[in-house]
Amino acid sequence: MNDFLCMPIVLSICLVVVRKLQGRHTHRLPWWVIFCLTLYFSLYFEYYLPQVSIRYTSDIIDVLLYFAGALLFFLFTMLKPIKKE
């Protein structure tokens, strides 16, 4: 469950930070940003870290869960209507 919830939590934090920095409440993360961040997390935690530390193990199911969580975030942010200010 941690891997599934990881990307929605990280992407939500990123979205809040970007909205605060830009001062636009209606900003949404583009699909390619969501994809790149998810790919980065997948490669870092499932490829790189297992090679440099015995504490971490690589698992393809975790990668699928990262992308499933990212897809969930994308669908919820894209389907949610933005309120006009």
Side-chain angles (χ1 to χ4, degrees), residues 3 6-7 10-11 14 34-49 62-63 66-67:
D3 297 317
C6 174
M7 293 316 297
V10 169
L11 291 168
C14 290
I34 296 170
F35 177 79
C36 288
L37 281 171
T38 306
L39 183 63
Y40 173 77
F41 267 69
S42 297
L43 290 174
Y44 185 74
F45 287 108
E46 303 301 325
Y47 178 74
Y48 175 72
L49 283 181
D62 290 347
V63 173
Y66 285 135
F67 279 96

Side-chain angles (χ1 to χ4, degrees), residues 2-85:
N2 292 342
D3 297 317
F4 179 69
L5 294 176
C6 174
M7 293 316 297
I9 292 169
V10 169
L11 291 168
S12 294
I13 292 169
C14 290
L15 182 59
V16 168
V17 169
V18 168
R19 284 180 174 175
K20 293 287 183 188
L21 290 174
Q22 289 188 348
R24 292 183 2 212
H25 179 67
T26 58
H27 185 74
R28 291 182 176 170
L29 293 177
W31 69 268
W32 59 270
V33 171
I34 296 170
F35 177 79
C36 288
L37 281 171
T38 306
L39 183 63
Y40 173 77
F41 267 69
S42 297
L43 290 174
Y44 185 74
F45 287 108
E46 303 301 325
Y47 178 74
Y48 175 72
L49 283 181
Q51 291 183 357
V52 298
S53 175
I54 61 172
R55 252 184 114 175
Y56 298 94
T57 58
S58 180
D59 187 7
I60 191 68
I61 293 175
D62 290 347
V63 173
L64 296 174
L65 289 171
Y66 285 135
F67 279 96
L71 180 63
L72 179 75
F73 174 83
F74 178 76
L75 291 175
F76 271 99
T77 58
M78 293 307 284
L79 295 177
K80 182 180 173 185
I82 295 178
K83 296 176 185 177
K84 300 288 182 184
E85 293 180 4

